[in-house]
Amino acid sequence: MPSRVELLSRTFANAQRFERLCFELEGLKKPTQKMKAVEAAAHFANGTGAGVYRSEKLEAALSDLSANLERPSLSRKTRRSGVLHVMSCAFPWGGHTRVVERWMKLDGKERSQSVALTEQGLQPVPKNLREAAASVGGSIFRLPRDKPIRDRALQLRSLALEFEYVVLHIHMHDIVPSLAFGECSFPVPVIFYNHADHRFSVGFEVACAVAETRSWGQELSKLRRGILDSQRLGIPLNPDRDAVREETNAIRDRLSLPKEAKIGIASASEYKFKPFLELNLFETINKILQRNQRVWFLLVGLSKSFCHQQLQDVGGRAAEVQRVVPIPVCDETQFRSYMKAADVALDTLPENGCTTAIDYISHGLPVVSRQTFIGQMDFLVKQREYIRSDEELVDNFLSLVESEADRKSTAARQFESLSVDCGGEVFLDRLNTLYCAALTRNPIGPSRDSRFFGFSDLDLFHTDRSRHIV
């Protein structure tokens, strides 16, 4: 594992390389070349730590490119109203697509909801997303991935003119919406949903309003993006929290778990489990397993080889390793059955699972989470289960595992906090305020306030996860 000094050196080199990529844009004359270069620079900034969370130069280049695209009539069309949710790609797992599904179901009572996909390609559109759109009178539009960026941008621009609002849930490198909506006279208000608030992204410049999932993201947007008036919208609760019909004992039997076992669960994409500096979830799990022989863990989203290697790296003995059950990526229905089999949820680290924590608490599972440099959702920040140290986390988890009464009271308290922050009515009230704000404001435009306060652990973390080695 690289040291903090090594990560700092690499982060500094990343920042220099990103500046070169931005500088080289000025020498490119052909629009198609420039689009590809901007997209590559955005990929780089998102894919590594470079100390940047928004780029004036990339946004200015995108605005110029958008203004020079062919200009079809920007008058509003009248065939369709409602909301167009723009996604780069939708997946059958993970919180990103779940948020869009829940938003559509909640807001669909007032407005029709449709989805445009800019990079889905031949990947199937998840069934739950298709059903959510159909249930509220909406449609799914798939832009052809094999078409040039420019063609997709023009198609998206034309499509969006049929709607009352556009909401961006895009991947952080996706420049298609910036090109589509960068024209200053574009008449439909655009909202940027900052789902990846801890990472670099393009797209802010076309937004009339920026919606944050949590207060932590608002603060980062102020400090590192120069966005002073973003609004906290949050992540909505699932309006369809139907119970899993399979009995708990049947689920445990299927997973070969002893009836007397105390079950912990953690779930995320595999990269969220990867250790960073002193933050190592497998070390925490190993300590728990050593202190209580009845505890088992379900780790959802992991391959068996990755899981066992990580446990071995922290000195996990065979007796402990066999009490950890890695479960591959699964759909929401399967995940609900695993939650039903569990007693206590352990949040992932160093990256926490925002939507997953909501699901745990919604289904009666208390969540234990560790404080890190990435922050946490508002509904958990003031809970006593949001813990400063690994030792406290282990103690808290084991205390909950051993007391059914404590588990029930903790789960009830956390659900009350969650409902106040993410309940359907609360979400819709905030959403209506956001829609009104988007109607009355002009787009933010390219950043004019580059903010840099030195490299932090957040920047080093991105470098550690980097796909690029400079």
Side-chain angles (χ1 to χ4, degrees):
M1 185 181 299
S3 68
R4 185 174 263 100
V5 172
E6 181 183 349
L7 290 173
L8 181 60
S9 175
R10 283 172 52 193
T11 303
F12 183 73
N14 289 337
Q16 290 182 313
R17 181 175 175 185
F18 180 69
E19 283 300 312
R20 288 198 302 273
L21 291 172
C22 292
F23 176 77
E24 289 166 2
L25 288 174
E26 298 175 8
L28 299 176
K29 303 303 180 185
K30 294 182 178 179
T32 52
Q33 264 187 328
K34 202 162 191 173
M35 288 176 193
K36 290 180 180 178
V38 171
E39 185 180 49
H43 257 300
F44 179 80
N46 171 56
T48 190
V52 59
Y53 295 85
R54 186 182 176 202
S55 169
E56 176 183 354
K57 292 180 180 177
L58 293 193
E59 290 181 352
L62 286 167
S63 294
D64 290 343
L65 287 164
S66 178
N68 289 314
L69 287 178
E70 294 91 330
R71 296 191 182 184
S73 171
L74 289 178
S75 60
R76 283 179 180 266
K77 301 180 181 180
T78 58
R79 291 201 308 272
R80 189 182 287 109
S81 61
V83 181
L84 179 66
H85 298 268
V86 181
M87 305 177 70
S88 303
C89 212
F91 304 102
W93 58 83
H96 180 218
T97 307
R98 303 291 81 72
V99 169
V100 180
E101 294 167 5
R102 295 173 189 182
W103 183 323
M104 292 196 297
K105 289 177 182 178
L106 285 168
D107 193 34
K109 296 172 184 176
E110 296 293 328
R111 307 166 184 86
S112 67
Q113 312 279 315
S114 294
V115 179
L117 299 158
T118 66
E119 296 183 349
Q120 192 76 14
L122 298 178
Q123 297 180 66
V125 177
K127 177 184 176 183
N128 287 349
L129 185 66
R130 287 187 279 108
E131 290 179 347
S135 71
V136 293
S139 303
I140 303 287
F141 303 95
R142 188 197 300 245
L143 305 185
R145 181 71 188 274
D146 58 344
K147 296 291 184 182
I149 297 172
R150 169 181 124 354
D151 292 355
R152 280 181 279 149
L154 288 171
Q155 185 177 345
L156 180 61
R157 177 188 289 180
S158 179
L159 173 64
L161 289 169
E162 304 177 11
F163 290 86
E164 185 180 1
Y165 300 98
V166 171
V167 182
L168 304 185
H169 306 264
I170 55 174
H171 291 350
M172 296 72 81
H173 64 271
D174 189 351
I175 68 171
V176 171
S178 292
L179 295 171
F181 310 133
E183 169 61 53
C184 62
S185 58
F186 185 72
V188 184
V190 177
I191 296 168
F192 187 99
Y193 185 69
N194 193 16
H195 67 93
D197 56 11
H198 64 300
R199 304 197 72 94
F200 168 91
S201 185
V202 294
F204 291 104
E205 74 282 1
V206 301
C208 300
V210 174
E212 308 278 6
T213 64
R214 51 187 177 158
S215 298
W216 184 91
Q218 281 183 294
E219 288 303 309
L220 189 70
S221 287
K222 288 177 184 176
L223 290 173
R224 304 300 294 269
R225 299 186 178 102
I227 299 174
L228 305 181
D229 58 354
S230 63
Q231 299 181 43
R232 185 165 70 89
L233 178 61
I235 296 174
L237 288 174
N238 186 357
D240 301 323
R241 300 194 306 275
D242 53 307
V244 175
R245 294 179 181 178
E246 190 176 7
E247 291 296 326
T248 299
N249 287 338
I251 299 169
R252 292 191 173 199
D253 288 343
R254 177 159 52 84
L255 294 170
S256 301
L257 301 173
K259 286 184 172 56
E260 70 278 6
K262 301 295 184 181
I263 309 298
I265 187 171
S267 175
S269 298
E270 193 164 278
Y271 71 88
K272 287 193 175 184
F273 285 90
K274 184 182 175 185
F276 170 71
L277 297 177
E278 73 280 1
L279 298 172
N280 190 327
L281 189 66
F282 294 96
E283 193 170 299
T284 304
I285 288 171
N286 194 45
K287 290 176 184 176
I288 292 170
L289 293 170
Q290 288 180 351
R291 284 184 50 182
N292 189 321
Q293 305 303 311
R294 291 200 298 160
V295 172
W296 286 61
F297 271 98
L298 305 179
L299 301 186
V300 183
L302 300 187
S303 67
K304 184 176 180 179
S305 58
F306 174 82
C307 179
H308 287 179
Q309 183 61 57
Q310 293 297 325
L311 287 167
Q312 290 170 14
D313 288 347
V314 298
R317 299 170 300 195
E320 278 79 50
V321 173
Q322 72 176 5
R323 287 189 281 131
V324 177
V325 181
I327 298 171
V329 170
C330 62
D331 62 25
E332 190 171 11
T333 301
Q334 291 173 305
F335 179 53
R336 289 182 192 180
S337 72
Y338 299 137
M339 285 193 290
K340 188 169 182 179
D343 296 301
V344 180
L346 184 60
D347 199 9
T348 49
L349 59 84
E351 286 192 74
N352 49 45
C354 298
T355 310
T356 306
I358 291 175
D359 289 341
Y360 290 144
I361 297 171
S362 296
H363 287 80
L365 277 178
V367 175
V368 183
S369 180
R370 170 135 179 224
Q371 297 180 28
T372 74
F373 52 87
I374 294 184
Q376 182 53 275
M377 298 297 292
D378 292 65
F379 61 83
L380 268 178
V381 164
K382 294 183 180 179
Q383 300 294 311
R384 65 178 69 115
E385 293 75 33
Y386 186 45
I387 294 165
R388 291 180 179 275
S389 72
D390 203 48
E391 291 70 25
E392 289 179 61
L393 188 148
V394 171
D395 289 342
N396 192 290
F397 180 93
L398 289 173
S399 176
L400 286 171
V401 143
E402 288 296 348
S403 172
E404 183 178 359
D406 285 351
R407 290 199 300 274
K408 288 183 176 179
S409 64
T410 300
R413 171 169 43 80
Q414 289 185 353
F415 183 74
E416 182 180 0
S417 177
L418 173 64
S419 299
V420 169
D421 191 52
C422 299
E425 290 186 7
V426 175
F427 182 83
L428 288 175
D429 283 346
R430 290 181 186 154
L431 183 57
N432 286 327
T433 300
L434 189 68
Y435 285 146
C436 290
L439 281 171
T440 58
R441 297 177 187 170
N442 294 322
I444 292 172
S447 170
R448 302 300 179 196
D449 188 10
S450 297
R451 299 187 171 205
F452 178 70
F453 301 97
F455 298 121
S456 67
D457 273 5
L458 182 60
D459 301 303
L460 304 189
F461 169 74
H462 293 318
T463 294
D464 184 60
R465 295 296 194 263
S466 177
R467 298 185 294 271
H468 312 276
I469 303 296
V470 177

